């Protein structure tokens, strides 16, 4: 009788275990099946082009991709010692710092203002979000016309308020002193609504009890912003900044539509340089080396940001 009971117990423990193992195996196969298209897509459109890019960067490639010659790290040495590459890196850094800095400040101010539910705030919020619906290339073309010295509305308004004497006093797109600034203005106009939207979502997630406690203690608006809002949305602020920094660093559409990197390379970012080197001059190896350096910097920035966020 005792033996039979032991057999029954063993059976009752063995069958569910087998079923669980079988179920687990099926689940893994099912999950693998669902991830297979995404995996194939990643290999075909991300991993393979990336490996091809790295491979090409070690070769001098002739016209029409013929006459390939292995030259080791010569393209990388050429990039690091090239004044043009250094200039493009500096322009990219200035573009990212100024554009993202302005967008962060403006987005935060607008988000705080729109948190107060006064009359008509929904209509104003919708109006402010309208640039998000415009493609970067179209936004660049719009600002190219608006900043034109011949018929652009910006210079006309500056003349009317007495800041400049004539509409050709500032050649936004043809003067090397203003071309990069003109592109930054267009980027700020296009992307500030995104920053505002992210900050607004973060602010609206703050519990009302914190505001009520601050009101009881007599905190003014500045103290509410610095002591409650900013610390509460620190995670959102950091994530949004990282996204925008990477996005701004690889900006191409706006620059190409407005100046194509000119005049004399004064608004040429690395993304534009790589495109020109590949499409206009046909130097596949050098363009690939610049692109690899650019990707490594962006990946390094992303990993640093993730590490920093995990520590916090």
């Amino acid at each position: 009788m005792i033996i039979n009971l032991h057999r029954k117990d063993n059976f009752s423990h063995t069958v569910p275990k087998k079923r669980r193992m079988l179920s687990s195996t099926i689940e893994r196969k099912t999950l693998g099946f669902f991830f297979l298209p995404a995996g194939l897509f990643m290999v075909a459109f991300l991993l393979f082009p990336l490996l091809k890019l790295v491979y090409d960067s070690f070769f001098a490639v002739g016209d029409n991709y013929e006459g390939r010659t292995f030259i080791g790290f010569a393209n990388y040495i050429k990039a690091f010692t090239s004044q043009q590459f250094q200039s493009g890196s500096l322009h990219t850094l200035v573009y990212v710092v100024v554009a993202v800095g302005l967008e962060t400040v403006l987005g935060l101010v607008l988000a705080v203002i729109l948190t107060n539910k006064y009359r008509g705030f929904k209509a104003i919020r919708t109006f402010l979000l309208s640039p998000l619906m415009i493609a970067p290339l179209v936004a660049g073309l719009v600002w190219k016309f608006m900043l034109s010295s011949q018929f652009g509305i910006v210079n006309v308004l500056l003349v009317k308020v007495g800041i400049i004497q004539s509409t050709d006093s500032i050649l936004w797109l043809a003067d090397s002193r203003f071309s990069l600034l003109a592109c930054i203005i267009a980027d700020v106009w296009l992307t500030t609504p995104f920053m505002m939207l992210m900050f607004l979502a973060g602010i609206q997630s703050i519990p009302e009890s914190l505001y009520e406690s601050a009101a009881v203690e007599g905190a003014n608006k500045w103290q509410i912003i610095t002591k409650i809002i900013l610390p509460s949305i620190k995670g959102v602020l950091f994530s949004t900044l990282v996204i925008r920094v990477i996005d701004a660093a690889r900006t191409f559409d706006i620059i190409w539509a407005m100046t194509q990197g000119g005049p004399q390379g004064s608004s040429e970012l690395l993304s534009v340089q790589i495109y020109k080197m590949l499409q206009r001059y046909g130097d596949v190896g050098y363009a690939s080396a610049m692109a690899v350096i650019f990707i490594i910097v962006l990946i390094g920035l992303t990993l640093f940001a993730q590490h920093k966020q995990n520590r916090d």
Side-chain angles (χ1 to χ4, degrees), residues 45-296:
F45 296 103
L46 180 64
L47 187 60
F48 174 73
L50 193 60
L51 293 175
K52 183 73 166 57
L53 189 74
V54 175
Y55 178 75
D56 286 342
S57 68
F58 294 106
F59 289 86
V61 184
D63 295 338
N64 300 322
Y65 297 88
E66 295 176 354
R68 184 181 294 266
T69 306
F70 181 75
I71 57 173
F73 288 93
N75 284 322
Y76 290 93
I77 295 171
K78 180 182 177 183
F80 283 118
T81 56
S82 165
Q83 190 175 0
Q84 186 185 17
F85 182 77
Q86 294 169 8
S87 173
S89 302
L90 180 62
H91 292 156
T92 305
L93 182 64
V94 172
Y95 188 89
V96 170
V97 171
V98 177
V100 176
L102 289 173
E103 289 159 11
T104 303
V105 174
L106 289 174
L108 194 57
V109 170
L110 290 173
V112 171
I113 292 173
L114 290 177
T115 304
N116 301 313
K117 296 180 180 178
Y118 49 83
R119 188 175 182 184
F121 83 99
K122 288 185 178 178
I124 295 173
R125 188 171 60 187
T126 305
F127 174 74
L128 290 174
L129 289 175
S130 57
L132 278 179
M133 305 169 193
I134 300 174
L137 186 64
V138 177
L141 291 173
V142 168
W143 276 95
K144 183 178 181 179
F145 288 116
M146 289 175 65
L147 293 172
S148 170
S149 59
Q150 297 175 338
F151 44 80
I153 191 172
V154 173
N155 278 5
V156 172
L157 291 175
L158 292 178
V159 169
K160 285 187 179 298
V161 298
I163 294 178
I164 57 177
Q165 298 298 321
S166 62
T167 55
D168 57 355
S169 296
I170 300 180
L171 304 177
W172 291 100
L173 306 176
D175 192 328
S176 58
R177 295 173 299 173
F178 301 110
S179 57
L180 188 60
L181 176 62
C183 298
I184 290 173
I185 291 172
D187 192 294
V188 170
W189 174 82
L190 179 67
T191 319
T192 295
F194 167 75
M195 306 291 270
M196 181 194 74
L197 195 63
M198 297 295 288
F199 297 151
L200 194 60
I203 292 173
Q204 288 178 342
S205 67
I206 299 174
E208 284 292 330
S209 58
L210 290 179
Y211 294 115
E212 293 170 359
S213 300
V216 169
E217 294 180 6
N220 57 35
K221 289 186 177 178
W222 177 249
Q223 288 172 325
I224 290 175
I225 292 172
T226 56
K227 302 294 182 184
I228 295 178
I229 293 178
L230 288 180
S232 299
I233 64 167
K234 190 169 65 175
V236 175
L237 187 66
F238 184 76
S239 302
T240 308
L241 271 176
V242 172
I243 292 171
R244 266 308 295 150
V245 165
I246 294 171
D247 192 42
R250 60 185 181 88
T251 298
F252 176 81
D253 314 58
I254 290 177
I255 303 289
W256 193 255
M258 293 180 70
T259 64
Q260 294 192 3
Q264 300 173 346
S266 57
S267 60
E268 200 171 74
L269 305 191
L270 281 178
S271 56
V272 178
Q273 269 189 12
I274 293 168
Y275 177 79
K276 282 184 177 178
M277 198 55 64
L278 182 65
Q279 294 296 328
R280 187 170 293 179
Y281 305 113
D283 196 339
V284 178
Y286 184 43
S288 300
M290 289 198 296
V292 170
I293 296 170
F294 192 40
I295 290 171
I296 289 173

